[in-house]
Amino acid sequence: MTQDFDAAPPPALPLIAPEPRPGSNLPEFTVGDLARRLKRSIEEEFGFVRVRGEISQPKKHSSGHCYLRLKDDTAVIEAVCWRGTMSKLAIKPEEGLEVIVTGRMTTYPGRSQYQLIIESMELAGEGALLKMLEERKRRLAAEGLFEPSRKKPIPFLPDVIGVITSPTGAVIRDILHRLSDRFPRHVLIWPVAVQGERAAAEVTAAIQGFNRIQPGGPVPRPDLLIVARGGGSLEDLMAFNEENVVRATAASAIPLISAVGHETDTTLIDHASDRRAPTPTAAAEMAVPVRGELLAQVLDDERRLLASAGRLLAERRNRVEGLARGLGDPRALLEGHAQRLDDRAERLTLAAAALVERRRTRVGELAASLRHPRDQLAQAGQKLAGEARALDGALRHAVTMAESRYQRVAGRLSLTPARHRLDDGARRLADLSPRLERAFGKIVAERGAKLDALGQLLESYSHKSVLARGFALVEDRDGKPITSASQTSPGLAVTLRFGDDSRVDATVDGGEAKAEKKPDAKKARAVPVQGSLF
Amino acid sequence: MIASAPSSASVPPDIAALSFEDALAELERIVRQLEEGRGKLDDAISSYERGTALKRHCEAKLRDAQAKIDRITVSADGTIGAEPARID
């Protein structure tokens, strides 16, 4: 079938016109007829086309179908990819992706639309694919998935190795052969598809599955994982560029070696793995050391261990023998000591006699130097006489000295200073006399004035002023004031004093007195008032 | 497995727990130390004994190397199993 439909001759439409109208030879269709004719025509003509264009507005429906548009700078075609086809696509439709799509055209009569049913999709050239991968790589790197600090060391000698690859083909054989050459190990193969629609999901599940195995379970947990695939085109290796595979690799707790494609192929899993092997065989070499070499090394160590331990012992034995020779003969040592003992014993007896002799000589010397008491008395007497003489002389000298001092002092003794002080005293006495008189006169005058003032004040407080206002003072004959009637008795002689200091003698006469005594009794009743004035 | 049993039985448990790598490193250190010939005789003797135990342990690890190839199976409920695989 040709794809160059522009150059194809226009399709000859069978003009079946049921009822041509008068005046027109054009057939008349119903809308449905026309739409069906168009549909058939388009489906026949464009039953298998290959279109290149840019994906625009891809929308994945919940049903699993994907609706999108293909466009270039002049036109747009609606396109749909059914769910069954979607899962088989090598690439996922993404906005702006330049793709080459194969499929068939159809129409949707209900809406006067036509659309392309997509059967397969590929990227329009390496450039576009690489650009997409570059973009994805940049994004995952920004998340830190490729950080060197995340990378785990590969164990020196893993007991169990998990291999994720296709169970058939050269890759697994290469790995197993190289492992058994170097160091046979327990290998767990997790079979996966390494290309196509299911590959990415299966590889992801395998990495996660191996990590889920717990130590001590029926299936041993691997110490190391190898994800491997042989060489292929960029599209063949696409599964190992998928985001879920890269994320599972970065998240693996078990160290992981990636070996995808050949040396020149680099997929995104290689950036996320702990170690990248250029080939599956190289991955096996990284996984295990060479057993033979290690065995040789251990045997060499054993030989050296034996040799050095033997040498060490021989050396020590030689030294012990050498030292034993140096110890010498014990009898010779003993004889030397016996001789020294004899020598000391002999010197001991000699030394005692010599000591006694030395003491005796010393006693003789001391006795010779002792003096008789008579000599000592005579010598003391002489010393006493000498000192008495010296005492006598000293006394005489002291008397002479005292006399001369007395003479010097007597000469200096005189009455003049005393006379001066007498004259001075007389003068001062003469001076003081008039001052005394002046001062005394002044004091007398001051006191006189004060006395007058007090006299007046006293007078103002005196009972006499009260008497002057008409009251009389009652006194007994001894001059003591009578201040209460109780102090009186009938027949008591009293004196009445008046304001002008005149006096009247009276006698108290009891209760009902004579008329002339009445005023006196009245005066007497006034006495307590006066008493309060004192 | 049967052949390696007596040798591993004579290895002290602390050495038996060592990885091959660590055991080999310690063996090398002991050999170097003894070759220098310093230290006390008692220490040298105990080092030697430990060295021979390490050597036995390393050797056992190397000798019991045996290829075993299993293929992972995943059952419907997600349980992971393994069955012997034969791949040439």
Side-chain angles (χ1 to χ4, degrees):
Chain A
M1 173 166 293
T2 176
Q3 289 171 26
D4 192 3
F5 45 83
D6 283 344
L13 293 174
L15 299 176
I16 307 158
E19 285 172 44
R21 267 191 167 185
S24 169
N25 60 352
L26 269 177
E28 191 178 284
F29 295 107
T30 62
V31 174
D33 283 343
L34 183 58
R36 274 191 296 278
R37 292 268 304 270
L38 275 169
K39 184 178 176 73
R40 192 164 64 237
S41 166
I42 284 175
E43 284 180 355
E44 280 172 5
E45 183 64 25
F46 305 109
F48 186 79
V49 289
R50 201 170 144 84
V51 192
R52 182 187 187 117
E54 187 186 317
I55 293 176
S56 172
Q57 300 168 24
K59 285 193 193 78
K60 191 159 182 188
H61 199 267
S62 58
S63 59
H65 311 318
C66 181
Y67 300 92
L68 54 91
R69 299 166 130 198
L70 280 177
K71 65 174 187 180
D72 62 11
D73 47 4
T74 59
V76 175
I77 290 181
E78 300 282 341
V80 61
C81 185
W82 305 126
R83 186 180 61 193
T85 316
M86 269 298 282
S87 59
K88 279 184 236 152
L89 290 185
I91 57 169
K92 300 273 165 288
E94 280 177 40
E95 177 74 37
L97 217 54
E98 183 87 12
V99 289
I100 295 170
V101 168
T102 50
R104 57 193 169 83
M105 289 303 298
T106 184
T107 68
Y108 181 53
R111 280 211 185 148
S112 181
Q113 277 185 346
Y114 60 93
Q115 61 186 2
L116 178 65
I117 311 284
I118 296 170
E119 306 282 1
S120 77
M121 186 184 284
E122 58 191 273
L123 282 164
E126 293 263 294
L129 182 58
L130 288 174
K131 194 175 146 214
M132 185 192 76
L133 287 180
E134 200 52 44
E135 169 63 22
R136 188 180 293 168
K137 179 180 163 189
R138 195 193 51 72
R139 187 161 48 80
L140 295 175
E143 280 185 39
L145 294 184
F146 305 154
E147 285 297 315
S149 59
R150 291 180 66 114
K151 305 216 179 289
K152 298 171 284 298
I154 305 299
F156 178 77
L157 180 57
D159 284 331
V160 180
I161 302 171
V163 180
I164 298 167
T165 190
S166 164
T168 58
V171 169
I172 187 64
R173 281 204 307 274
D174 286 351
I175 290 175
L176 292 176
H177 282 156
R178 187 53 60 102
L179 283 178
S180 74
D181 283 352
R182 287 171 71 89
F183 207 129
R185 295 282 76 185
H186 186 184
V187 177
L188 295 173
I189 300 167
W190 195 303
V192 292
V194 291
Q195 75 182 76
E197 43 168 321
R198 298 190 331 272
E202 287 187 13
V203 171
T204 303
I207 294 172
Q208 290 167 346
F210 269 138
N211 274 281
R212 252 199 331 274
I213 295 175
Q214 296 303 313
V219 179
R221 180 178 167 91
D223 310 303
L224 176 70
L225 298 183
I226 297 174
V227 177
R229 191 212 186 278
S233 70
L234 189 56
E235 285 78 7
D236 290 343
L237 304 182
M238 269 311 281
F240 299 91
N241 286 317
E242 288 302 331
E243 199 167 317
N244 50 358
V245 171
V246 175
R247 286 187 188 282
T249 301
S252 175
I254 304 172
L256 189 150
I257 299 174
S258 65
V260 175
H262 294 306
E263 184 139 19
T264 49
D265 305 324
T266 303
T267 47
L268 293 185
I269 192 177
D270 294 328
H271 295 284
S273 64
D274 297 304
R275 189 101 190 260
R276 185 226 167 188
T279 60
T281 304
E285 286 169 2
M286 288 174 185
V288 292
V290 179
R291 187 174 74 119
E293 288 172 6
L294 289 177
L295 208 50
Q297 191 180 347
V298 169
L299 293 176
D300 183 51
D301 283 342
E302 182 187 28
R303 185 187 53 71
R304 284 164 65 192
L305 192 67
L306 275 169
S308 58
R311 203 162 49 242
L312 208 66
L313 277 174
E315 234 169 56
R316 297 287 150 91
R317 188 177 295 116
N318 283 342
R319 274 177 66 193
V320 168
E321 283 170 2
L323 289 169
R325 275 196 298 278
L327 275 177
D329 182 1
R331 192 175 301 152
L333 284 171
L334 205 61
E335 280 168 357
H337 284 298
Q339 198 173 0
R340 273 178 73 196
L341 179 64
D342 289 348
D343 178 52
R344 297 288 193 280
E346 195 182 343
R347 280 163 67 185
L348 184 64
T349 46
L350 290 175
L355 184 67
V356 170
E357 189 54 41
R358 274 203 305 282
R359 293 289 152 94
R360 184 176 295 141
T361 311
R362 179 75 183 134
V363 168
E365 281 167 12
L366 289 171
S369 65
L370 268 179
R371 286 168 61 210
H372 195 278
R374 201 168 41 238
D375 295 343
Q376 289 184 21
L377 276 175
Q379 195 178 1
Q382 280 175 4
K383 200 177 168 191
L384 182 61
E387 278 173 2
R389 275 195 304 276
L391 189 60
D392 195 33
L395 180 61
R396 259 198 292 279
H397 178 67
V399 169
T400 317
M401 290 289 284
E403 264 175 11
S404 67
R405 266 178 75 194
Y406 166 72
Q407 292 301 336
R408 277 202 306 279
V409 172
R412 279 157 60 190
L413 196 61
S414 163
L415 279 175
T416 318
R419 196 168 291 135
H420 281 317
R421 286 175 66 186
L422 274 176
D423 292 349
D424 191 32
R427 258 196 319 277
R428 280 169 64 194
L429 187 59
D431 184 38
L432 283 173
S433 180
R435 279 169 65 189
L436 179 63
E437 272 174 26
R438 275 197 307 276
F440 181 67
K442 194 178 168 195
I443 290 169
V444 167
E446 278 171 4
R447 297 290 151 95
K450 201 164 183 185
L451 186 60
D452 290 346
L454 286 173
Q456 283 164 18
L457 192 59
L458 185 61
E459 206 58 42
S460 70
Y461 292 148
S462 167
H463 64 280
K464 284 177 185 167
S465 61
V466 179
L467 298 183
R469 295 202 321 254
F471 293 86
L473 175 61
V474 183
E475 289 176 338
D476 63 12
R477 285 292 187 244
D478 298 327
K480 277 194 212 145
I482 293 172
T483 60
S484 165
S486 68
Q487 285 174 305
T488 67
S489 55
L492 182 70
V494 294
T495 306
L496 303 179
R497 281 175 63 180
F498 301 94
D500 57 359
D501 219 15
S502 59
R503 293 161 193 250
V504 174
D505 286 339
T507 304
V508 176
D509 107 12
E512 297 79 28
K514 296 160 285 190
E516 63 182 67
K517 290 264 178 186
K518 213 174 180 184
D520 291 343
K522 275 182 186 171
K523 296 288 187 197
R525 279 197 302 276
V527 169
V529 179
Q530 287 176 345
S532 75
L533 289 173
F534 289 98
Chain B
M1 277 303 172
I2 292 160
S4 69
S7 67
S8 65
S10 63
V11 169
D14 65 317
I15 289 178
L18 285 179
S19 73
F20 175 83
E21 196 181 4
D22 292 342
L24 185 64
E26 191 180 343
L27 175 59
E28 299 252 323
R29 196 170 63 245
I30 285 173
V31 167
R32 270 199 309 279
Q33 196 180 311
L34 284 176
E35 281 176 342
E36 283 170 8
R38 283 198 293 270
K40 293 181 188 161
L41 186 61
D42 284 352
D43 293 347
I45 288 169
S46 58
S47 290
Y48 172 78
E49 283 170 351
R50 188 166 173 83
T52 53
L54 286 165
K55 175 249 161 189
R56 275 200 303 277
H57 178 59
C58 287
E59 214 173 23
K61 283 243 172 197
L62 293 176
R63 290 208 195 284
D64 73 3
Q66 209 175 0
K68 187 176 176 208
I69 316 295
D70 285 335
R71 179 184 172 123
I72 294 287
T73 57
V74 182
S75 63
D77 62 355
T79 312
I80 293 165
E83 57 188 25
R86 175 127 190 98
I87 290 166
D88 306 295

